[in-house]
Amino acid sequence: MTDHSAVKAALRNQHIETPSWAYGNSGTRFKVFAQEGVPRNAYEKVDDAATVHRFTGVAPSVALHIPWDRVDDYGDLARHAKEQGVALGAINPNVFQENEYKLGSVCNPDEAVRRKALDHLLECVDVMDVTGSADLSLWFADGTNYPGQDSIRGRQERLSEALHRVYDRLGDHQRMLLEYKLFEPAFYTMDVPDWGTSYAHCVDLGPKANVLVDTGHHAPGTNIEFIVAFLLHRDRLGGFHFNSRFYADDDLMVGAADPYQLFRIMVEIVLGGGLDASAGVAFMLDQCHNIEPKIPALIRSVLNVQEATAKALLVDQDALRTAQANGDVLEANAALTDAFATDVRPLLAEVRADLGIDPDPLGAYRRSGYFEKIRTERADGAAAGWGA
Ligand code: RM4
Ligand code: MN
Ligand code: MN
């Protein structure tokens, strides 16, 4: 029998980071539908992240995207976050929204553009020094649209050079996470298209470089849990950008499209020891809420990760191992499907009672009046958005 007190302790200690950019306005390339009450600056994004933490109890940090979240004094922003009950988490440099980056950032054929991009990455490590953030979360929009446009090999060398410069700048307690993405914005080659490319660069760099798995960044049908199991086994799984997708990089609420896939990922995490803080796996969301209200969508997403984690923790590992050793395919598979079929909501209500929060986080948020408050307070001024 699984020990439920251990399961509950693991769930109480889970840490799911929300992204600052999910609180701002966003949209598709066709339209950004502005919402009411959207934060106007990084401080207000932090307030919303703290609200998500207050109602879920397991989202105690918020990732920043620079320059979207640029402030004069990051120490002051970190203090503000602390006062609100959260910490500043991963720092995400943005090297894809300036005209110079049309042909790429750190892989650009123009040395001056590469320098500009590198300077921004290094500036983001300076920000980490002030905020106390442990992770520099790197995603490059770099790539090409046409065969022959640029040298694939040359671009790999430029990438490697920049990554080494950043790696050398990292402090003792800082890491870099290298995210990959199959396509978009480039359509012919991406310079970091898959986990293998990211892994190879991380191995070259050293132990402070690890792979970041964004669940929306694979070809349809990719077995993401295999990638997760492999990277965790090799000690190279730096973390996740959770979201869900039906087609491409949809950035929908995690667990919405395929809760069973999320469960399978969390099973590999649990079996590989990835929930232990010592494994160094950062559980972060990377989503956009274009048509649904943002704070409830983030609460729902945190709960979805928590539910998948609870089910993964309920897998009867002894039964699983015995069935595997006996070559009992059906029993081994049943160990997973039984856990997936369990209604974990009563268990999670107990976890929330232990945490001293309402067992119904979404209902409690709606009843709290927070939305009515921000809708009035933030009526004036420009809402934060992607600036795309
Ligand atoms: C990318 C990638 C990055 C995120 C940007 C906004 O597709 O997922 O992590 O920072 O979108
Ligand atoms: Mn991402
Ligand atoms: Mn993405």
Side-chain angles (χ1 to χ4, degrees):
M1 277 299 287
T2 318
D3 177 0
H4 281 219
S5 63
V7 168
K8 288 202 279 184
L11 290 167
R12 281 197 304 273
N13 291 328
Q14 194 171 22
H15 175 165
I16 300 161
E17 183 161 304
T18 67
S20 70
W21 53 101
Y23 298 98
N25 279 324
S26 62
T28 65
R29 70 176 97 175
F30 301 108
K31 172 70 181 163
V32 172
F33 295 104
Q35 295 191 13
E36 291 181 308
V38 161
R40 294 162 296 181
N41 52 51
Y43 286 82
E44 291 179 351
K45 292 181 196 174
V46 165
D47 293 344
D48 288 1
T51 302
V52 171
H53 180 48
R54 199 159 67 244
F55 289 101
T56 61
V58 290
S61 65
V62 53
L64 300 184
H65 220 298
I66 315 288
W68 292 339
D69 296 318
R70 191 172 295 241
V71 291
D72 293 336
D73 182 346
Y74 289 97
D76 188 60
L77 184 65
R79 272 191 298 281
H80 176 75
K82 195 167 178 203
E83 277 164 23
Q84 302 304 311
V86 288
L88 301 180
I91 302 296
N92 292 246
N94 181 324
V95 283
F96 51 86
Q97 276 192 317
E98 284 165 77
N99 277 331
E100 288 95 325
Y101 297 140
K102 185 168 78 174
L103 300 180
S105 62
V106 292
C107 303
N108 196 295
D110 181 340
E111 211 270 313
V113 178
R114 296 204 294 279
R115 179 77 241 173
K116 175 184 159 88
L118 177 61
D119 284 346
H120 178 59
L121 303 183
L122 297 172
E123 177 202 342
C124 284
V125 185
D126 295 342
V127 172
M128 292 166 69
D129 290 342
V130 179
T131 59
S133 300
D135 291 336
L136 182 72
S137 186
L138 297 173
W139 175 68
F140 298 107
D142 291 51
T144 66
N145 272 2
Y146 295 99
Q149 178 189 322
D150 197 358
S151 159
I152 294 174
R153 297 169 61 112
R155 295 180 74 91
Q156 284 300 310
E157 277 160 25
R158 295 170 213 151
L159 173 65
S160 176
E161 154 92 34
L163 292 175
H164 275 97
R165 297 290 295 278
V166 177
Y167 191 90
D168 291 344
R169 164 68 182 80
L170 293 175
D172 287 344
H173 303 293
Q174 295 172 338
R175 313 186 297 171
M176 60 197 256
L177 308 180
L178 182 57
E179 183 173 355
Y180 56 91
K181 182 172 175 178
L182 172 68
F183 83 101
E184 199 200 26
F187 295 117
Y188 174 55
T189 57
M190 287 292 278
D191 292 309
V192 192
D194 53 26
W195 70 268
T197 310
S198 175
Y199 177 77
H201 282 285
C202 290
V203 170
D204 282 353
L205 289 162
K208 289 193 280 185
N210 283 312
V211 180
L212 178 68
V213 176
D214 183 312
T215 49
H217 287 189
H218 308 85
T222 300
N223 183 333
I224 300 175
E225 60 270 26
F226 175 84
I227 298 170
V228 168
F230 179 90
L231 292 172
L232 190 55
H233 187 228
R234 297 280 173 138
D235 236 351
R236 287 290 175 178
L237 180 63
F240 289 96
H241 270 179
F242 281 126
N243 51 63
S244 72
R245 56 78 72 81
F246 290 98
Y247 297 102
D249 190 19
D250 304 353
D251 283 339
L252 300 173
M253 292 185 291
V254 57
D258 187 351
Y260 189 45
Q261 179 188 60
L262 181 60
F263 164 76
R264 298 192 308 265
I265 290 171
M266 292 313 302
V267 167
E268 292 308 325
I269 289 292
V270 168
L271 295 177
L275 278 188
D276 300 339
S278 61
V281 181
F283 299 93
M284 303 177 282
L285 304 179
D286 179 8
Q287 304 184 157
C288 293
H289 306 296
N290 301 343
I291 58 167
E292 67 275 29
K294 297 166 195 301
I295 295 174
L298 284 154
I299 293 175
R300 171 88 270 160
S301 304
V302 170
L303 304 188
N304 286 352
V305 175
Q306 208 182 21
E307 282 187 21
T309 308
K311 292 179 181 196
L313 285 163
L314 289 179
V315 168
D316 184 336
Q317 294 191 28
D318 292 337
L320 178 67
R321 273 187 288 269
T322 305
Q324 288 174 345
N326 293 337
D328 191 336
V329 176
L330 289 177
E331 278 302 307
N333 180 236
L336 266 60
T337 54
D338 282 350
F340 182 64
T342 310
D343 183 356
V344 293
R345 289 173 296 183
L347 177 73
L348 287 169
E350 289 175 30
V351 169
R352 289 178 195 129
D354 292 347
L355 289 168
I357 61 171
D358 194 295
D360 171 18
L362 273 167
Y365 168 74
R366 288 200 190 97
R367 288 189 295 274
S368 72
Y370 185 79
F371 176 66
E372 289 69 22
K373 176 170 158 289
I374 57 176
R375 181 168 55 186
T376 312
E377 281 176 8
R378 300 175 183 170
D380 300 325
W386 272 39

